């Protein structure tokens, strides 16, 4: 293309002016590029940390890369999810389990990682369902929920924690109090329990009765105590009566003492679980008075202190985690909710009302040195949890912190009256905190936990190991197993179903065992069957058995929903449902088919089937 010289000159002038303009904003620009560089992960490179964010009322866990903030995966837990074929089918055992334990939804708040010697080992992640009193475990080698249990004798499974340093139990706090005998005929007094769950078997071990709406949990690093905040020592039934006292409590449970009392048969068994009444078992429960409707409790990485956030008091209470004595109660700001830690002796507390993160020095606060506040940074807006990478382990990494904000307000283009949640990544590697980047999430993460990619990545499986009953290539079959029952054994590999056609009759029950025989990571095939409410996703090596009603007579094309090759769209097949009275066989049906298809003028037909 030929350009007029004047246009070239004009373009040069504009470019020069733009250059001058850029130069004028140099300082602002370079602060931006510095921040961008800290969170920029170039295409093809990997994030340094896996972040696990609870999905709140999404009922799931979000997997986010840190520092990029990229959403890498959603792990469905308490909610069916079509994209992964999770708990979708009425006959699916996991769906039936969800239905029988509270429903096809959940409210996940607190993701916690398994520990060995106080280090995250990358084996499991646990997550609570506040609404329906459940606890789920996610296997991190498959990123898949493998166990879900209902916790008996409590309502509102809220705070959960791993008993350090080797994951002896998962602690689950029951927040909503219930009549003691579980009967509405005896409404007073109300009570609740802290539950101790075996992490491997996912079975109840014992419970300890605690009154007053047990909220957030953590444990001492030596595994001796569990700590739970209690915000309704008043045992009020409405908001006004819950804020009468100046102090509520942190409930410290002496775990070895509780185990001893259980072993001595001191528990009253209800719904198969022994419950300890602390009034009858001395030394099990200590109530430490802290102000006022406390929320979070977090143990320092060195295990010396448990720190309770005051919520309605502008203070945090620093408790000696061995003697259970209060050692200091410094002011930090308005609405303190949760605390996390770096590897240099600093704590970071979220301030819901101030919309800030405050950084403070633990030793200085304990010794009463006046300059214990190190820094404050504004977040957007009304922060709930915050979590520094590794801040909930004995070895924090100390470089990034995630602020999990409840309201995004003006931070994103509006998407209706309902706006996304706002997560912000803060650089905590220096003395001053620096806000680096933000990213929106669906509703509504509460807490997060992080593990180094170098630890977890090598543990993640490439494929599923085929189960003993997997369908082998070459051994596919269609067998009538009864007057009204047909079994189909099917394999999937790029990009075909074998068999790609089968025939059943109206009124038949169809049982399909489908194996994806691919051996390459991420080579997923779907099986979507129209008008049968059936879509499953099969990762490589995976076998799924489904049973469904044949439905109305007709031809139903099943097809692959996961893009798998250039011939993905051709990956399909047919289920033919014959009317009850029909005598046509599959052979007749093949023979009678129109095999030519429509001819394109001038293009010779190969004569193949359409
Ligand atoms: Cu503060 Cu459920 Cu952890 Cu929400 S809880 S914020
Ligand atoms: Cu298989 Cu697309
Ligand atoms: Ca209270």
């Amino acid at each position: 293309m030929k350009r007029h010289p004047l246009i070239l000159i004009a373009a040069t002038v504009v470019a020069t002016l733009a250059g001058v303009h850029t130069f004028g904003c140099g300082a602002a620009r370079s602060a931006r590029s510095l921040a961008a560089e800290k969170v920029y992960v170039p295409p093809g490179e990997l994030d340094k940390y896996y972040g696990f964010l609870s999905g709140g009322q999404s009922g799931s866990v979000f997997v986010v890369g840190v520092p990029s903030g990229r959403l890498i995966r959603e792990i469905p837990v308490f909610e069916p999810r079509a994209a992964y074929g999770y708990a979708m089918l009425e006959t699916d055992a996991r769906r039936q389990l969800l239905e029988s334990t509270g429903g096809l939804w959940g409210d996940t708040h607190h993701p916690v990682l398994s520990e060995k010697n106080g280090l995250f080992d990358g084996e499991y992640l646990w997550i609570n369902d506040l609404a329906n009193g459940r606890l789920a475990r996610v296997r991190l080698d498959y990123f898949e929920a493998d166990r879900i249990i209902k916790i008996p004798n409590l309502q509102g499974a809220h705070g959960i924690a791993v008993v350090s340093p080797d994951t002896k139990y998962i602690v689950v706090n029951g927040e909503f109090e219930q009549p003691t005998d579980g009967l509405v005929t005896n409404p007073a007094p109300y009570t609740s329990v802290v539950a101790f769950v075996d992490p491997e078997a996912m079975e109840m071990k014992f419970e300890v009765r605690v009154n007053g709406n047990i909220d957030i949990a953590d444990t001492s690093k030596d595994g001796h105590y569990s700590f739970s905040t209690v915000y309704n020592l008043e045992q009020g039934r409405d908001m006004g009566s819950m804020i009468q006292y100046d102090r509520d409590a942190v409930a410290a449970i002496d775990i070895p003492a509780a185990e001893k009392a259980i072993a001595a048969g001191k528990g009253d068994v209800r719904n198969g679980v022994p419950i300890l009444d602390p009034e009858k078992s001395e030394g099990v429960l200590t109530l430490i008075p802290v102000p006022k409707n406390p929320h979070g409790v977090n143990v320092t990485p060195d295990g010396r202190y448990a720190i309770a956030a005051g919520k309605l008091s502008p203070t945090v209470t620093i408790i000696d985690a061995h003697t259970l004595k209060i050692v200091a109660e410094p002011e930090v700001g308005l609405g303190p909710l949760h605390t996390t830690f770096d590897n240099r002796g600093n704590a970071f507390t979220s301030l819901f009302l101030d919309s800030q993160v405050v950084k403070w020095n633990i030793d200085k606060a304990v010794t009463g040195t006046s300059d214990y506040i190190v820094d404050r940074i504004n977040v957007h807006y009304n922060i709930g949890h915050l979590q520094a990478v590794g801040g909930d382990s004995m070895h924090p990494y100390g470089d990034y912190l995630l602020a999990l904000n409840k309201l995004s307000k003006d931070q994103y283009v509006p998407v209706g009256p309902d706006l996304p949640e706002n997560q912000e990544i803060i650089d905590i590697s220096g003395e001053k905190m620096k806000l680096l980047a933000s990213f929106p999430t669906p509703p509504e993460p509460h807490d997060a936990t992080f593990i180094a990619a170098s630890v977890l990545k090598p543990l993640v499986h490439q494929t599923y190991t085929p189960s003993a009953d997997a369908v082998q290539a070459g051994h596919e079959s269609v067998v009538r197993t009864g007057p009204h029952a047909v079994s189909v054994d099917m394999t999937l590999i790029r990009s075909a179903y074998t068999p790609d056609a089968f025939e059943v009759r109206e009124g038949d029950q169809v049982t399909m065992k489908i194996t994806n025989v691919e051996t390459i990571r991420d080579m997923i095939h779907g099986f979507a069957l129209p008008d049968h409410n059936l879509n499953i996703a099969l990762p490589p090596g995976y076998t799924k058995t489904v049973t469904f009603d044949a439905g109305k007579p007709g031809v139903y094309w099943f097809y692959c929903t996961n893009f798998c090759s250039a011939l993905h769209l051709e990956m399909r097949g047919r289920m033919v449902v014959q009317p009850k009275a029909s005598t046509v066989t599959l052979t007749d049906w093949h023979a009678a088919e129109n095999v030519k298809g429509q001819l394109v003028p001038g293009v010779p037909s190969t004569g193949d089937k359409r």
Side-chain angles (χ1 to χ4, degrees):
M1 197 177 112
K2 227 177 124 188
R3 278 212 181 107
H4 194 279
L6 268 183
I7 293 176
L8 273 183
I9 290 165
T12 312
V13 170
V14 170
T16 311
L17 285 174
V20 169
H21 184 75
T22 307
F23 193 65
C25 294
R29 268 289 162 89
S30 68
R32 280 184 174 218
S33 7
L34 278 177
E37 222 164 84
K38 289 239 171 187
V39 296
Y40 180 63
V41 177
E45 289 183 22
L46 302 183
D47 277 292
K48 195 171 169 192
Y49 303 105
Y50 288 89
F52 295 94
L53 281 61
S54 56
Q57 58 271 38
S58 293
S60 55
V61 174
F62 304 145
V63 184
V64 161
V66 170
S68 73
R70 297 179 293 194
L71 176 67
I72 297 171
R73 175 80 172 191
E74 193 176 1
I75 309 170
V77 181
F78 295 108
E79 223 186 42
R81 200 60 53 90
Y84 301 119
Y86 178 83
M88 285 300 294
L89 307 170
E90 271 145 42
T91 51
D92 183 313
R94 205 191 259 114
R95 185 187 182 100
Q96 289 168 351
L97 177 67
L98 285 176
E99 275 169 339
S100 66
T101 54
L104 297 174
W105 65 285
D107 184 15
T108 61
H109 282 219
H110 300 114
V112 296
L113 290 162
S114 54
E115 291 178 19
K116 266 261 142 52
N117 301 319
L119 282 169
F120 295 147
D121 63 1
E123 194 175 357
Y124 294 123
L125 178 119
W126 287 269
I127 187 99
N128 68 311
D129 168 16
L130 170 62
N132 302 300
R134 293 181 285 193
L135 178 70
R137 185 176 73 186
V138 172
R139 279 183 67 151
L140 291 179
D141 51 355
Y142 291 104
F143 279 62
E144 188 178 281
D146 81 320
R147 292 292 179 84
I148 292 169
I149 59 167
K150 179 100 173 166
I151 312 278
N153 309 323
L154 64 71
Q155 202 174 88
H158 194 189
I160 71 169
V162 158
V163 174
S164 295
D166 291 314
T167 319
K168 187 166 190 190
Y169 303 105
I170 310 302
V171 178
V172 184
N173 287 347
E175 185 171 8
F176 305 141
E177 291 188 288
Q178 289 287 296
T180 307
D181 58 3
L183 301 172
V184 283
T185 48
N186 179 16
Y190 276 26
T191 190
S192 191
V193 296
V194 174
F196 290 80
V197 180
D198 180 303
E200 271 303 324
M202 284 293 278
E203 280 168 11
M204 289 301 309
K205 283 296 174 191
F206 60 92
E207 295 177 333
V208 178
R209 186 163 284 159
V210 178
N211 298 335
N213 295 59
I214 333 162
D215 198 9
I216 304 299
D218 203 354
T219 72
S220 64
K221 298 300 184 193
D222 58 3
H224 196 96
Y225 289 109
S226 76
F227 299 103
S228 305
T229 47
V230 170
Y231 63 81
N232 183 16
L233 219 53
E234 302 90 340
Q235 292 202 275
R237 301 282 180 267
D238 55 49
M239 191 262 282
S241 50
M242 291 183 201
I243 55 174
Q244 296 302 307
Y245 297 171
D246 282 338
R247 286 191 179 246
D248 292 279
V250 165
I253 293 171
D254 184 320
I255 297 172
E259 287 169 335
K260 243 173 102 185
I262 290 291
K266 292 198 180 161
D268 303 322
V269 177
R270 178 141 68 94
N271 295 313
V273 183
I275 306 177
L276 280 182
D277 183 343
E279 279 170 25
K280 295 183 205 151
S281 298
E282 222 177 291
V284 169
L285 177 71
T286 307
L287 290 179
I288 307 156
V290 303
K292 171 178 189 176
N293 289 42
H295 187 52
V297 59
N298 301 89
V299 174
T300 54
D302 60 8
R304 288 171 73 189
Y305 307 113
I307 294 168
K311 194 166 82 183
L312 302 188
S313 155
T315 54
V316 289
T317 304
I318 306 176
I319 300 159
D320 186 306
H322 302 291
T323 65
L324 308 186
K325 298 270 178 296
I326 293 173
V327 296
E329 206 155 77
E331 272 198 32
V332 290
L334 294 182
L337 290 188
H338 298 281
T339 300
T340 186
F341 309 97
D342 68 11
N343 49 359
R344 295 176 291 278
N346 297 300
F348 302 80
T349 299
S350 56
L351 302 172
F352 179 82
L353 294 175
D354 281 338
S355 281
Q356 279 185 340
V357 171
V358 55
K359 174 180 178 181
W360 52 279
N361 183 276
I362 301 167
D363 278 343
K364 285 186 174 178
V366 167
T367 54
T369 316
S370 60
D371 62 346
Y372 60 93
I373 300 285
V374 182
D375 192 23
R376 291 176 190 278
I377 192 169
N378 292 331
V379 290
H380 313 84
Y381 299 87
N382 297 88
I383 181 171
H385 274 272
L386 79 182
Q387 194 61 262
V389 283
D392 46 351
S393 76
M394 286 164 77
H395 303 278
Y397 302 110
D399 45 2
Y400 297 101
L401 179 146
L402 189 73
L404 295 101
N405 305 302
K406 295 300 181 190
L407 303 172
S408 61
K409 295 187 194 174
D410 52 11
Q411 299 290 299
Y412 302 103
V413 286
V415 285
D418 188 0
L419 301 175
E421 269 44 73
N422 189 31
Q423 322 303 333
E424 290 181 307
I425 298 178
I426 295 170
D427 177 3
I428 55 164
S429 60
E431 179 84 348
K432 295 269 173 210
M433 293 178 278
K434 286 190 202 99
L435 182 57
L436 297 177
S438 64
F439 60 94
T441 55
E444 170 183 320
H446 286 251
D447 199 359
T449 186
F450 304 87
I451 184 169
S454 58
V455 174
L456 180 49
K457 183 175 158 274
L459 304 176
V460 181
H461 284 298
Q462 306 242 353
T463 63
Y464 283 84
T465 309
S467 55
D469 70 334
V471 184
Q472 316 263 336
H475 293 79
E476 300 87 353
S477 62
V478 181
V479 179
R480 178 159 288 283
T481 52
H484 304 292
V486 174
S487 269
V488 181
D489 281 7
M490 178 181 272
T491 61
L492 320 182
I493 195 161
R494 272 157 295 165
S495 277
Y497 296 97
T498 309
D500 68 350
F502 62 90
E503 184 206 39
V504 297
R505 268 166 212 281
E506 190 183 4
D508 277 346
Q509 250 218 340
V510 185
T511 300
M512 294 188 72
K513 185 159 77 178
I514 312 177
T515 300
N516 178 347
V517 293
E518 299 277 3
T519 54
I520 294 173
R521 173 175 251 171
D522 202 32
M523 204 37 79
I524 301 162
H525 299 290
F527 181 89
L529 185 63
D531 301 325
H532 286 74
N533 189 26
L534 183 60
N535 179 33
I536 52 183
L538 291 113
Y542 198 79
T543 298
K544 183 100 187 169
T545 301
V546 294
T547 301
F548 55 92
D549 191 272
K552 289 190 193 136
V555 173
Y556 298 94
W557 288 95
F558 49 83
Y559 72 98
C560 178
T561 40
N562 286 65
F563 210 104
C564 50
S565 78
L567 290 171
H568 154 76
L569 287 171
E570 286 80 354
M571 186 168 176
R572 64 173 76 163
R574 281 162 296 168
M575 176 176 78
V576 175
V577 182
Q578 298 280 5
K580 272 191 182 125
S582 168
T583 54
V584 182
T585 67
L586 190 60
T587 327
D588 302 335
W589 168 51
H590 275 309
E593 274 186 298
N594 170 7
V595 295
K596 283 262 173 63
Q598 215 166 13
L599 291 179
V600 178
V603 179
S605 165
T606 61
D608 275 349
K609 282 187 186 179
R610 71 187 145 104

